[in-house]
Structure formats: C-alpha cells, structure tokens
Amino acid sequence: AMFGIAAGGFAGILTPWIMAVFGFNQFQIMMMLLPQVILSLFCQPIIPFACSKYGHRSVFRFAYWADRAIDVMCLPLLTSSFGGFPFPVLFAYLKTPFVGAGSVMESISSKLVSPQESAKYSAIVQLNMFFVGSMSSLMFSRIFNSEATTLVGKISPFILSSSLRLCGVLVYLYGWGQLNLEACDAISADIGKEAEEKEKLEGDKKTD
C-alpha cells in the first residue's frame, strides 16, 4: 500500500504535465476528465458484482495485474494522443472499471486485521497515507520539468511512478500477496455460508 500511495503522487502533477506536453489549458483537461469522473460513479458496483459471480480471489488477482499491465502499456505512448485525447487521459478511462476495488480491499483488511487491532491499524494507515503522500507530492513536484525537451525528461514522473509500483509488485509477490488471496477465499466462503443459511431459513418458512 505504501508504494501505491507513493506512486499515486503523480496525480498531483498530471494536469500541469499534460498542459506542458500537449499544450492544453486547464479547462480543456477538466472537460476531458469530467466524463471519466461521472463514469466512475456508475462503475463502482462492477468489481463487487464480479466478485459475487466469479469469486474474490479471481477478480482481485485479475484487477491487480490488469491495473499494472495498463501502467506498462502507458509508458511508450505517454507523449502521444489519439482522436485529440492524450494517452494518459485515455488510460485513465481504461482503469475506470476497477474503481470499485477499494471496497474489496476494505473487506480484505477486515479479514486480516482483528477487531481488537482495527483502531490501531486505521491510525497507522492514516499516518502512513499522510507521511508518504506528502513525501510523494514533494518528489513528483521536484522531478517534473515543464521545459523538458527529451523524451526521458518529459516522462520522468511516469518512470518514477512505475518504479514505485514495481516495488509494490515485488512486495505483492514475495510478501502480502498470498495473505490477500487467502483473505479473498475466506470472504467468498463467508458469503457462501450466508447464502446457504438464507436459503435454509427460507426453506424452513415455506415448510411451516
């Protein structure tokens, strides 16, 4: 989570970066992203619905790797546009179906953290988000150069963001990934038990 928060610091300079590289003004960028914001509201239920249909483990794993794949696909096309839209904006639209993953992460956290430790865990997460988010914003504001002329200079904020996400992938593979998948299995099992109990109660009512 720490590396994800750090990589997310790029969002703070996305608008000035697009302005510098593509020459759009702030209003034009806002109008490009406004439909994506509205669309994300309607996409919130997609991930929870997919979890109920295909299982939390499968959906979580697919969403995680699809999100990372989009980041990798984005790098070679960052300074290009299609149909008048910069590719960073188009890739933001590609990630829209995954906006509901936050609710799954909350469910996973509730499985991994005991109720007795939840308050302490929440405080640590908030402190981590504040500290890492502040440092990340500072890093990206320092590395961003609106007057860069070389390709590496222009996409250096994205390179930093991708490097941080790569660190997060390593932690996922060799650290907390298996724990999350096991928590997904437990969530699916609990939902299955609740569904069975509900069917049993409905059957008993019909019998009575």
Side-chain angles (χ1 to χ4, degrees), residues 10 13 15 24 56 68 73 80 90 121 191 195:
F10 178 75
I13 64 165
T15 296
F24 292 108
H56 285 71
R68 299 307 178 273
M73 289 166 53
S80 304
L90 296 177
Y121 173 77
I191 293 174

Side-chain angles (χ1 to χ4, degrees), residues 137-160:
S137 298
L138 179 63
M139 281 193 304
F140 280 101
S141 63
R142 295 282 182 175
I143 199 172
F144 171 55
N145 180 11
S146 60
E147 298 178 355
T149 55
T150 64
L151 178 62
V152 173
K154 289 178 179 179
I155 69 171
S156 55
F158 280 94
I159 294 174
L160 174 59

Side-chain angles (χ1 to χ4, degrees), residues 39-62:
L39 187 62
S40 65
L41 299 176
F42 294 95
C43 290
Q44 285 285 349
I46 291 178
I47 292 293
F49 172 77
C51 287
S52 66
K53 191 171 180 63
Y54 302 107
H56 285 71
R57 173 188 277 259
S58 299
V59 174
F60 174 82
R61 190 158 48 188
F62 171 79

